[in-house]
Amino acid sequence: MNLRATSAVALGLVIGAAAGVGAYTFIYAQGASYLTNDPNACVNCHVMREQYDGWVKSSHRSVAVCNDCHTPPGRVAKYVTKAQNGFWHSFAFTTGRFPDEILITSRNHGVTERACRKCHESITLEIDGPHAAKTPRDELACVRCHRSVGHLH
């Protein structure tokens, strides 16, 4: 076998192995469920059980699902965020490097804050009016005071 044929076989093995591992991981981790809005997909990861149970008991259960508060509006932005979060969640769970208490990233905090303000616009506009921030540091944040509204922490 010449070098070109050997390289083609090696490349085929690498691609085949990557596709096989990817397919197995997608099936094992119920990957298709993450393409839906079903909150049960979030409890595929056992560490989300507390948040899911809190959401079931919350007032938000009748008006919002996880994606409404934790992904930005728009199909592309939603799935980009889901892909980013899914990658980092998988990485953390695979390596065992995640805090005991799940912490929201600053980017995802911004997504959630914008969702609060979108759904509760009339209230937040009234609150922001007299308390308008002079600097970004002074901005009011819904989840700063209402951290456990959507689900318990």
Side-chain angles (χ1 to χ4, degrees), residues 38-51:
D38 184 357
N40 286 306
C42 296
V43 277
N44 284 348
C45 298
H46 66 276
V47 296
M48 291 290 189
R49 173 55 66 185
E50 183 180 340
Q51 284 73 23

Side-chain angles (χ1 to χ4, degrees), residues 32 36 68 99 136:
T36 71
D68 293 325

Side-chain angles (χ1 to χ4, degrees), residues 20-87:
V21 169
Y24 173 78
T25 303
F26 191 79
I27 292 166
Y28 177 76
Q30 302 174 33
S33 68
Y34 295 105
L35 302 175
T36 71
N37 282 326
D38 184 357
N40 286 306
C42 296
V43 277
N44 284 348
C45 298
H46 66 276
V47 296
M48 291 290 189
R49 173 55 66 185
E50 183 180 340
Q51 284 73 23
Y52 177 81
D53 290 344
W55 170 79
V56 167
K57 296 174 186 169
S58 79
S59 61
H60 278 80
R61 180 179 184 208
S62 61
V63 294
V65 296
C66 308
N67 286 329
D68 293 325
C69 300
H70 296 288
T71 61
R75 192 174 302 250
V76 172
K78 173 183 171 180
Y79 285 109
V80 166
T81 296
K82 288 177 74 106
Q84 286 176 332
N85 289 341
F87 172 79

